[in-house]
Amino acid sequence: MPSRTTVGVVGGGPAGLLLARLLHQAGIDCVVLESRDRGYVEQRQRAGILEQGTVDALRACGAAERLDAEGLVHDGIELRWNRRGHRIDFPSLTGGRRVRVYAQTELVKDLIALRLADGAPLLFDARVTAVTGADTDRPVVHYTHQGAERSLHCDFVAGCDGFHGVVRTAIPAEELRTFERVYPYSWFGVLADVPPSCDELIYAHSPRGFALHSMRSPAVSRLYLQVPNGTDPAAWTDGQIWDELEARFAVDGGWRLARGPITQRAVLPLRSAVTEPMRWGRVLLAGDAAHIVPPTGAKGLNLAASDAVVLARALAQWAATGTTAALDAYSDARLQAVWRAEHFSWFMTTTLHSAPGQSPFDTRLQLSQLDRIAASPHAAAELAENYAGLPLV
């Protein structure tokens, strides 16, 4: 087991694995510690929408072979309200940018396979218990693996271990500020073995609540319903789920929702959170360890990938020149992008969902905003630019 490395990467999700890939290509040694086993990590269901910038980053580091072969290219999304639909065309509004549908499970599998093929250290079932010396030039990651307590001495520690991870606790509480919002509704998500009833994602505003039609592949549909917090997914029959989806997606015309066997179901609470700063001493945060967004804007995975790209560049500059200028700027630069993504995610969420006890006045404001997007190329471009991804800085 390695006891010394340049960068200790805690967390084997997209942020940690992509960071490790980029560091490896830059000739910077790192060790990835993941608390779960490989099977769990590769089956952990999360987002599946990749911005243009994320795709470009994966291609640049040689991690997009399967993505390019199997990912679904989407040039837009459809908004539905008042039994009408309106398509937002990304390339025409963003100068050619588009998104791809590629499940996080598949991206993680690709990055793990590359890491192992490189023979680079990736330890599963390695539970980090503490990070000490964050304010020194030799922080230490303490962890247990194969029944033994171990220590990893690092130049830097990258916390990619999620919002409730251990690395955040290495930063003194008085140095951290966390801003949070908990939404008064959840998403009831299902996977169904049925070809999608649409070519691109459908976001529906309905008097009955929000609904989203997505997909995992040409043969598997991914669908969501807005439900009250605390909803028991087992309380719904398959028929009730399909009936409710059909009612919320209803539009005038001949469109129909295809039904099929539901294979998975889960209720996902919606919340936002941002931790400031994203760097303290030799500890740096990335991905969910630093920020959480509701999934309505499809930003979570893409923010994590952007964190990894910017952090890898900063560490490469340090390794090549000894200067910490880019590392010193990491937190401020990323927080600007994070808050932009938080605002867009909040906008999409509050525009499309009906809050408990919502007044008719507030509903009229939502409908007015949707009408504005349909009527104004400027409003549509603002949505498209944020959804397809703003340029990485």
Side-chain angles (χ1 to χ4, degrees), residues 21-378:
R21 174 67 176 173
L22 295 169
L23 293 176
H24 179 78
Q25 290 199 312
I28 300 171
D29 63 288
C30 67
V31 175
V32 182
L33 304 174
E34 166 56 46
S35 64
R36 301 282 192 164
D37 64 68
R38 180 178 178 179
Y40 180 92
V41 173
E42 291 185 339
Q43 296 302 318
R44 190 161 43 194
Q45 295 287 343
R46 292 291 188 275
I49 305 295
L50 304 184
E51 297 173 358
Q52 184 71 60
T54 302
V55 173
D56 292 344
L58 292 167
R59 285 176 177 159
C61 72
E65 182 177 349
R66 265 207 322 141
L67 164 62
D68 283 332
E70 302 174 17
L72 306 177
V73 179
H74 281 200
D75 285 341
I77 60 173
E78 182 182 348
L79 301 177
R80 290 189 180 181
W81 72 102
N82 280 349
R83 299 188 64 86
R84 61 181 290 206
H86 178 79
R87 182 174 181 270
I88 306 294
D89 184 81
F90 294 157
S92 66
L93 294 166
T94 65
R97 298 173 77 82
R98 47 180 48 88
V99 301
R100 286 179 183 255
V101 176
Y102 190 66
Q104 176 175 312
T105 52
E106 304 313 300
L107 174 58
V108 166
K109 290 174 186 175
D110 296 342
L111 290 169
I112 288 175
L114 287 169
R115 182 78 179 167
L116 297 177
D118 289 334
L122 168 56
L123 278 62
F124 293 103
D125 291 311
R127 186 174 65 86
V128 172
T129 55
V131 176
T132 58
D135 56 346
T136 72
D137 59 0
R138 290 292 186 271
V140 181
V141 179
H142 305 273
Y143 69 101
T144 60
H145 185 249
Q146 296 179 344
E149 296 184 359
R150 307 181 187 276
S151 297
L152 180 66
H153 297 258
C154 316
D155 290 309
F156 294 93
V157 176
C160 307
D161 52 342
F163 190 77
H164 299 290
V166 173
V167 177
R168 286 163 50 97
T169 64
I171 304 175
E174 62 272 17
E175 300 290 339
L176 283 180
R177 292 174 295 168
T178 300
F179 305 87
E180 295 184 81
R181 172 189 290 269
V182 177
Y183 291 87
Y185 33 72
S186 298
W187 278 15
F188 183 10
V190 300
L191 274 177
D193 284 340
V194 59
S197 304
C198 51
D199 296 324
E200 298 169 337
L201 274 66
I202 301 173
Y203 288 77
H205 176 287
S206 163
R208 306 173 68 95
F210 168 78
L212 170 62
H213 193 324
S214 182
M215 61 280 295
R216 280 291 176 263
S217 73
V220 179
S221 295
R222 181 71 162 161
L223 305 109
Y224 298 92
L225 288 167
Q226 175 189 342
V227 294
N229 288 339
T231 293
D232 178 5
W236 290 60
T237 67
D238 287 10
Q240 288 173 323
I241 294 170
W242 288 115
D243 288 346
E244 190 62 28
L245 286 165
E246 192 159 16
R248 297 190 191 187
F249 286 125
V251 287
D252 294 334
W255 186 87
R256 292 293 181 271
L257 178 66
R259 303 187 179 203
I262 292 175
T263 59
Q264 293 183 24
R265 55 175 69 196
V267 171
L268 316 170
L270 271 59
R271 60 191 291 262
S272 299
V274 179
T275 293
E276 299 181 356
M278 291 174 61
R279 179 200 177 188
W280 191 80
R282 292 294 182 112
V283 167
L284 303 112
L285 304 179
D288 287 357
H291 39 71
I292 302 288
V293 290
T296 328
K299 296 293 115 186
L301 174 57
N302 295 291
L303 278 178
S306 298
D307 290 347
V309 170
V310 175
L311 183 51
R313 289 176 184 169
L315 289 165
Q317 182 193 73
W318 169 82
T321 68
T323 179
T324 62
L327 286 167
D328 295 339
Y330 169 72
S331 181
D332 288 344
R334 288 308 301 149
L335 285 170
Q336 288 186 26
V338 167
W339 279 111
R340 174 90 295 274
E342 289 283 0
H343 185 273
F344 177 66
S345 300
W346 166 85
F347 166 78
M348 290 288 286
T349 303
T350 57
T351 299
L352 293 166
H353 292 71
S354 298
Q358 179 169 300
S359 71
F361 181 89
D362 288 337
T363 300
R364 288 291 187 177
L365 290 177
Q366 291 175 317
L367 297 175
S368 173
Q369 180 62 59
L370 292 166
D371 289 340
R372 166 71 176 167
I373 292 169
S376 167
H378 300 291

